[in-house]
């Protein structure tokens, strides 16, 4: 599908779309277009060529509002807040004026610069890296145009005008709000090279006092999500999916369902059967009355136990591909003084977002399509919706809704939910909006999981206790294979399978990271922090075991191998210092440490646990140090680290998605168990490393270190490295 987008080029918006707002024709809309509106010039932009400024990102309305059009999707991680902070730093507006909405429909304007600008999308903790320069420039340009308008109206030099809290002022006493100047400012030329504030003049970026502008609506229930969407004539559809992945519809008997009051239709879609009712309850009753016969001849029939057993056998054999090969690991291991080796098993994991998947689609009488939902990859979804609806992408309007969590689940290359919504709307006919609302059971059993993996590892120490060799053979499915991102697979290596291992920072002279990609029909997807969810656990628990074998302190042992990686070393030192590493603990208390880089952000975490024997333990304290470059919103960074720690902790402690005979065993939160509130560590400290480097992401990097830090604390308590996850299950065995 990405190839299709590149071939077609981005949709060319109308002037109305450029201005992006009902009042924009009378106001000011401005932005900086860092990539051009075709793939060829997008490539030149990716290589450093900046195109001319263009209307796109910041709108000042006559009603004195500041509407920021975000290229990034808000799913709770705070991207809207971060982008607004960048704009407000340069614009000098009042936060009471601010509203941020999702934008889409023009790759040239909204393409993710961290992805080369060829597609719009949110993922890989790239939102702030992509937005860092262009949204500051948009804010600065809007401010300059407001000042220019005031200078012209008041016949004074622009240099004598000041801007603060959304008010433009002159020493003569003349003042005007942004809204009062908006129409005149819109007539000013957009500056081609507007200067940005120097770091020492920042008041918003890096402010410890600045809190999220949108917190109130999210805490008092007034924030609308797709699940809350209402409109005239809206009906609801629930899905019946095949119980085994790869099965297809053979026959449908919908007669009983259609006889029920309120059941409108039963529609076969490319992904299953949609049952449409006047409301959710009626649609669910209709669903229960439908009989579907499935063709399972091409379906996955194996259970997860059989799959992992096969992976273990594969891991002991010759790998299909090699991601990194330094020195001669095999020869060095043969000469090692001490060997540490074993197999690690990682289960499938669900995203388990609070808001189950949903989307609303409407096909108009003119054939144009509107789709409301959590559009994490808008360009792709626009193209898919057009294909399903039998039209062209320029006839598809996406309405980007805030979403109650994603963790990667709404970034699907085949746009599964969009296919269902548009296909159902097409079957219903023009002018009939439909909300496809998955149940929790649909969500849990509908596929797109963190892949299961097995690692076979072997590492060796010399007689001086130094690591001389490490070999890791990783076995699992490829997330990118068969998707528009398959071009990233080079020499048989999917980078998402090996990240966190292939870029190992430790100075190990003989290092080999192998990969064998398996063919399994269970649909998989990126899951918060992707490959680092398993590689960090393997590497960091292995390093601890090697430190024990060398009779060395785990922190000192790591630091001895980080001479060429000062940012890794700095977060490790900071976390250890703040956690009082090395000081005695009370009886029954134990510490563990882990360090990991993901998405160009460096995180170290130290945990303290109380261990009571068997599987009875609690995580009492987590100390986290993070280097994410320039800290745009320190409070939000801490919140994301805390959230990532909770997310990763639940997965490592107890989450596991299993299959029996090809059918998913778990259905809801009673059988698939994310972290419960009483399991959240009562003490979490987050310490941010001061930095002048460009910002990197924080949505995912807090997740990888928590698992191995807890695993290492348990090793300190039990003398055992737990290699089969989740932890509680392994301790109970």
């Amino acid at each position: 599908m990405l190839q299709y987008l590149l071939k077609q080029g981005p949709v060319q918006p109308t002037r109305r779309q450029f201005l992006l707002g009902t009042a924009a024709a009378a106001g000011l809309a401005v932005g900086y277009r860092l990539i051009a509106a075709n793939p060829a010039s997008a490539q030149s932009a990716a290589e450093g060529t900046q195109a001319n400024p263009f209307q796109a990102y910041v709108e000042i309305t006559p009603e004195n509002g500041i509407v920021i059009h975000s290229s990034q999707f808000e799913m709770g991680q705070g991207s809207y807040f971060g982008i607004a902070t960048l704009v407000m730093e340069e614009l000098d507006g009042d936060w009471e004026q601010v509203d941020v909405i999702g934008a889409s429909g023009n790759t040239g304007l909204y393409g993710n610069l961290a992805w080369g600008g060829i597609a719009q999308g949110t993922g890989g903790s790239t939102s702030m890296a992509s937005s860092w320069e262009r949204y500051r420039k948009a804010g600065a340009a809007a401010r300059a145009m407001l000042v220019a308008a005031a200078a012209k109206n008041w016949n004074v030099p622009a240099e004598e005008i000041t801007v603060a809290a959304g008010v433009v002022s002159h020493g003569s006493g003349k003042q005007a709000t942004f809204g009062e100047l908006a129409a005149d400012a819109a007539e000013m030329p957009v500056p081609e090279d507007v200067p940005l504030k120097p770091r020492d003049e920042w008041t918003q970026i890096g402010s410890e006092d600045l809190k999220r502008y949108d917190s109130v609506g999210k805490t008092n229930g007034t924030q609308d999500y797709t699940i809350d969407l209402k409109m005239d004539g809206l009906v609801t559809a629930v899905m019946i999916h095949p119980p085994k992945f790869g099965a297809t519809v053979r026959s449908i008997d919908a007669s009983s369902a259609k006889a029920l009051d309120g059941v409108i239709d039963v529609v076969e879609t490319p992904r299953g059967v949609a049952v449409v009712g006047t409301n959710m309850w009626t649609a669910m009753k209709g669903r229960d009355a439908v009989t579907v016969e499935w063709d399972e001849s091409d379906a996955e029939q194996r259970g997860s136990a059989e799959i992992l057993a096969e992976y273990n056998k594969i891991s002991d054999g010759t790998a299909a591909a090699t991601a990194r090969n330094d020195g001669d690991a095999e020869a060095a291991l043969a000469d090692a003084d001490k060997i540490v080796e074993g197999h690690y098993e990682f289960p499938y994991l669900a995203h388990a977002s609070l808001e189950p998947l949903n989307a609303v689609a409407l096909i108009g009488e003119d054939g144009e399509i509107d789709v409301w939902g959590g559009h994490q990859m808008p360009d792709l979804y626009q193209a898919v919706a057009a294909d399903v609806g039998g039209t062209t992408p320029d006839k598809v309007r996406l309405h980007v809704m805030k979403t109650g969590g994603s963790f990667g689940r709404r970034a699907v290359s085949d746009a599964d939910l969009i296919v269902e919504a548009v296909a159902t709307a097409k079957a219903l006919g023009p002018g009939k909006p439909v909300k496809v609302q998955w149940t929790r059971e649909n969500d849990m059993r509908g596929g797109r999981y963190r892949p299961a993996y097995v690692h076979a590892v072997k590492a060796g120490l010399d007689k001086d206790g130094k690591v001389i060799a490490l070999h890791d053979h990783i076995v699992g499915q490829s997330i990118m294979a068969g998707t528009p991102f398959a071009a990233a697979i080079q020499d048989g290596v999917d980078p998402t399978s090996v990240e966190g291992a292939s870029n190992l920072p430790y100075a190990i002279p003989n290092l080999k990271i192998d990969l064998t990609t398996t063919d399994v029909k269970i649909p998989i997807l990126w899951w918060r922090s992707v490959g680092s969810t398993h590689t960090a656990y393997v590497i960091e628990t292995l390093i601890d075991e090697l430190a024990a074998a060398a009779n060395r302190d785990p922190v000192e042992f790591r630091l001895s191998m980080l001479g060429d990686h000062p940012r890794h070393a700095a977060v490790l030192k900071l976390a250890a210092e703040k956690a009082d590493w090395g000081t005695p603990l009370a009886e029954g208390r134990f510490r563990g440490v882990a360090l990991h880089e993901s998405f160009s952000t460096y995180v170290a975490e130290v945990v303290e646990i109380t261990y009571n024997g068997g599987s009875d333990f609690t995580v009492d304290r987590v100390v986290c140090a993070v280097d994410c470059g320039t800290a745009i919103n320190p409070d939000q960074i801490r919140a994301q680290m805390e959230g990532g720690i909770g997310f990763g902790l639940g997965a490592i402690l107890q989450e596991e998605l299993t299959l029996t005979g090809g059918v998913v065993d778990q259905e809801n939160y009673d059988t698939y168990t994310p972290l419960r509130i009483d399991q959240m560590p009562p003490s979490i400290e987050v310490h941010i490393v001061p930095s002048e480097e460009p910002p990197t992401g924080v949505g995912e990097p807090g997740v990888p270190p928590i698992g191995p830090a807890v695993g290492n604390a348990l090793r300190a308590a039990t003398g055992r490295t737990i290699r089969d996850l989740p932890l509680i299950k392994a301790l109970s065995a």
Side-chain angles (χ1 to χ4, degrees), residues 123-125 349 351 406-408 450-451 453 479 495-500 525-537 596-599 644-645 647-648 651 698-708:
S125 293
L349 295 176
H351 299 80
S406 174
F407 316 115
R450 196 286 303 271
Y453 284 98
I479 294 173
T496 69
S497 296
V498 299
E499 61 184 350
L525 192 63
W526 15 70
W527 185 96
R528 193 175 185 180
S529 74
V530 201
S532 292
T533 61
H534 54 100
T535 57
Y537 187 88
H596 195 71
E597 174 197 351
S598 58
F599 308 104
I645 287 166
F647 191 86
V698 295
E700 299 173 270
V703 175
I706 186 63

Side-chain angles (χ1 to χ4, degrees), residues 644-691:
I645 287 166
F647 191 86
L649 184 58
I652 215 78
L653 288 180
Q654 61 211 25
E655 290 181 40
E656 180 182 29
L657 188 129
T658 61
L659 298 93
T660 302
V663 178
V664 174
D665 298 317
Q666 291 73 29
E667 290 188 319
N668 210 314
Y669 289 147
D670 57 337
T671 49
Y672 187 88
T673 52
L675 195 73
R676 296 337 197 202
I677 190 66
D678 61 351
Q679 295 175 297
M680 191 69 179
S683 174
I684 299 180
E685 305 167 29
V686 179
H687 302 277
I688 302 169
V689 175
S691 176

Side-chain angles (χ1 to χ4, degrees), residues 50-62:
Q50 181 171 307
N52 291 329
F54 204 66
Q55 295 168 323
Y57 307 122
V58 182
E59 174 192 337
I60 308 297
T61 72

Side-chain angles (χ1 to χ4, degrees), residues 146-438:
L146 289 163
V147 168
K152 181 179 179 181
N153 291 351
W154 300 338
N155 195 26
V156 299
E159 295 77 12
E160 296 179 2
I161 291 175
T162 59
V163 183
V167 177
V168 182
S169 304
H170 184 255
S172 63
K174 294 178 179 178
Q175 287 188 337
T177 66
F178 284 3
E180 290 168 339
L181 291 168
D184 291 336
E187 301 301 319
M188 297 294 107
V190 181
E192 292 191 9
D193 188 16
V194 63
L196 300 176
K197 289 182 182 178
R199 186 176 289 262
D200 60 6
E201 293 182 11
W202 289 350
T203 61
Q204 307 295 311
I205 297 173
S207 171
E208 290 285 355
D209 299 324
L210 188 62
K211 308 300 180 185
R212 279 185 70 158
Y213 78 99
D214 58 350
S215 295
V216 173
K218 293 190 173 187
T219 52
N220 66 13
T222 57
Q223 173 63 59
D224 282 338
Y225 299 91
T226 308
I227 199 170
D228 304 310
L229 197 62
K230 296 178 176 63
M231 63 182 68
D232 290 342
L234 182 65
V235 295
T236 300
V238 297
M239 294 301 303
I240 304 173
H241 293 134
K244 294 183 180 180
F245 299 114
T248 56
V249 173
R250 176 175 288 159
S251 65
I252 305 171
D253 182 354
S255 56
S256 297
K258 290 183 177 181
L260 296 174
D261 288 342
V263 174
I264 296 168
D265 204 352
V266 177
V267 177
E268 183 176 353
T269 79
R271 293 182 32 80
V273 179
V275 182
V276 185
T278 53
N279 52 51
M280 185 74 180
W281 176 246
T282 302
M284 290 174 67
K285 287 175 63 180
R287 175 203 61 191
D288 295 342
V290 174
T291 300
V292 183
E293 184 180 356
W294 302 100
D295 180 353
E296 297 181 345
S297 56
D298 292 328
E300 179 61 65
Q301 305 290 344
R302 292 171 293 178
S304 48
E306 293 99 314
I307 291 169
L308 285 167
E310 180 184 339
Y311 284 11
N312 273 287
K313 291 179 182 178
I314 294 171
S315 70
D316 287 329
T318 302
T322 298
R324 181 172 174 180
N325 193 9
D326 299 346
D328 189 337
E330 184 176 351
L333 286 167
D335 292 337
D337 185 64
K338 291 181 180 179
I339 293 289
V340 173
E341 60 184 323
H343 289 71
Y344 287 79
E345 286 189 10
F346 297 86
Y348 289 101
L349 295 176
H351 299 80
S353 304
L354 185 62
E355 181 187 15
L357 291 177
N358 43 36
V360 173
L362 169 65
I363 300 180
E365 299 291 345
D366 56 3
E368 295 194 350
I369 302 173
D370 287 272
V371 185
W372 292 258
H375 301 309
Q376 197 167 345
M377 300 177 70
D379 295 343
L380 192 149
Y381 294 175
Q382 188 176 33
V384 169
D387 185 52
V388 174
T391 187
T392 53
D394 61 305
K395 302 298 184 184
V396 177
R397 287 181 295 269
L398 299 181
H399 305 266
V400 183
M401 304 290 292
K402 293 181 180 178
T403 299
S406 174
F407 316 115
R409 181 57 183 88
R410 288 183 179 266
V412 190
S413 61
D414 67 359
D416 51 1
L417 186 67
I418 306 303
V419 169
E420 293 176 351
V422 176
T424 305
K426 184 178 180 181
L428 293 177
K432 297 178 180 178
V434 58
K435 180 193 295 181
V436 172
Q437 177 64 60
W438 284 22

Side-chain angles (χ1 to χ4, degrees), residues 375-702:
H375 301 309
Q376 197 167 345
M377 300 177 70
D379 295 343
L380 192 149
Y381 294 175
Q382 188 176 33
V384 169
D387 185 52
V388 174
T391 187
T392 53
D394 61 305
K395 302 298 184 184
V396 177
R397 287 181 295 269
L398 299 181
H399 305 266
V400 183
M401 304 290 292
K402 293 181 180 178
T403 299
S406 174
F407 316 115
R409 181 57 183 88
R410 288 183 179 266
V412 190
S413 61
D414 67 359
D416 51 1
L417 186 67
I418 306 303
V419 169
E420 293 176 351
V422 176
T424 305
K426 184 178 180 181
L428 293 177
K432 297 178 180 178
V434 58
K435 180 193 295 181
V436 172
Q437 177 64 60
W438 284 22
T439 64
R440 179 69 61 200
E441 289 74 18
N442 286 144
D443 214 29
M444 203 68 71
R445 290 185 155 184
R448 317 297 180 180
Y449 309 118
R450 196 286 303 271
Y453 284 98
V454 164
H455 290 240
V457 295
K458 189 174 184 179
L461 298 166
D462 66 11
K463 59 182 177 58
D464 296 320
K466 295 181 179 179
V467 184
I468 57 171
L470 190 158
H471 178 215
D472 185 1
H473 183 185
I474 303 170
V475 180
Q477 290 171 258
S478 165
I479 294 173
M480 289 184 165
T483 77
F485 307 98
I489 300 173
Q490 298 293 318
D491 299 322
V493 176
D494 180 337
T496 69
S497 296
V498 299
E499 61 184 350
S502 60
N503 59 334
L504 195 68
Y506 298 117
I508 301 174
N510 303 284
L511 175 66
K512 190 176 186 185
I513 307 297
D514 283 335
L515 175 68
T516 297
T517 297
T518 58
D519 182 13
V520 180
K521 293 181 180 178
I522 297 170
I524 57 170
L525 192 63
W526 15 70
W527 185 96
R528 193 175 185 180
S529 74
V530 201
S532 292
T533 61
H534 54 100
T535 57
Y537 187 88
V538 171
I539 296 299
E540 287 300 293
T541 56
L542 184 66
I543 291 294
D544 247 49
E545 194 167 355
L546 289 165
N551 196 28
R552 296 172 67 179
D553 175 80
V555 171
E556 178 274 326
F557 188 64
R558 286 172 169 81
L559 289 172
S560 72
M561 296 185 286
L562 291 172
D564 294 332
H565 295 274
R567 294 179 76 177
H568 288 82
V571 292
L572 179 58
K573 290 177 182 177
L574 180 59
E577 173 194 342
K578 296 298 184 180
D580 302 316
W581 185 266
T583 61
L585 289 168
E587 185 176 355
R589 299 264 292 198
F590 302 89
R591 287 194 188 98
V593 63
L595 167 70
H596 195 71
E597 174 197 351
S598 58
F599 308 104
S600 301
T601 291
Y602 309 83
V603 180
E605 292 171 8
V606 176
V607 304
E608 290 181 18
I609 69 168
T610 298
Y611 182 68
N612 302 310
S615 61
D616 183 8
F617 72 96
T618 58
V619 181
D620 305 312
R621 184 187 183 202
V622 180
V623 178
C624 171
V626 54
D627 177 354
C628 57
T630 297
I632 296 173
N633 299 125
D635 185 63
Q636 186 61 23
I637 292 168
R638 295 188 182 95
Q640 282 299 292
M641 289 297 111
E642 292 165 0
I645 287 166
F647 191 86
L649 184 58
I652 215 78
L653 288 180
Q654 61 211 25
E655 290 181 40
E656 180 182 29
L657 188 129
T658 61
L659 298 93
T660 302
V663 178
V664 174
D665 298 317
Q666 291 73 29
E667 290 188 319
N668 210 314
Y669 289 147
D670 57 337
T671 49
Y672 187 88
T673 52
L675 195 73
R676 296 337 197 202
I677 190 66
D678 61 351
Q679 295 175 297
M680 191 69 179
S683 174
I684 299 180
E685 305 167 29
V686 179
H687 302 277
I688 302 169
V689 175
S691 176
E692 295 189 4
E693 296 291 327
T696 51
V698 295
E700 299 173 270

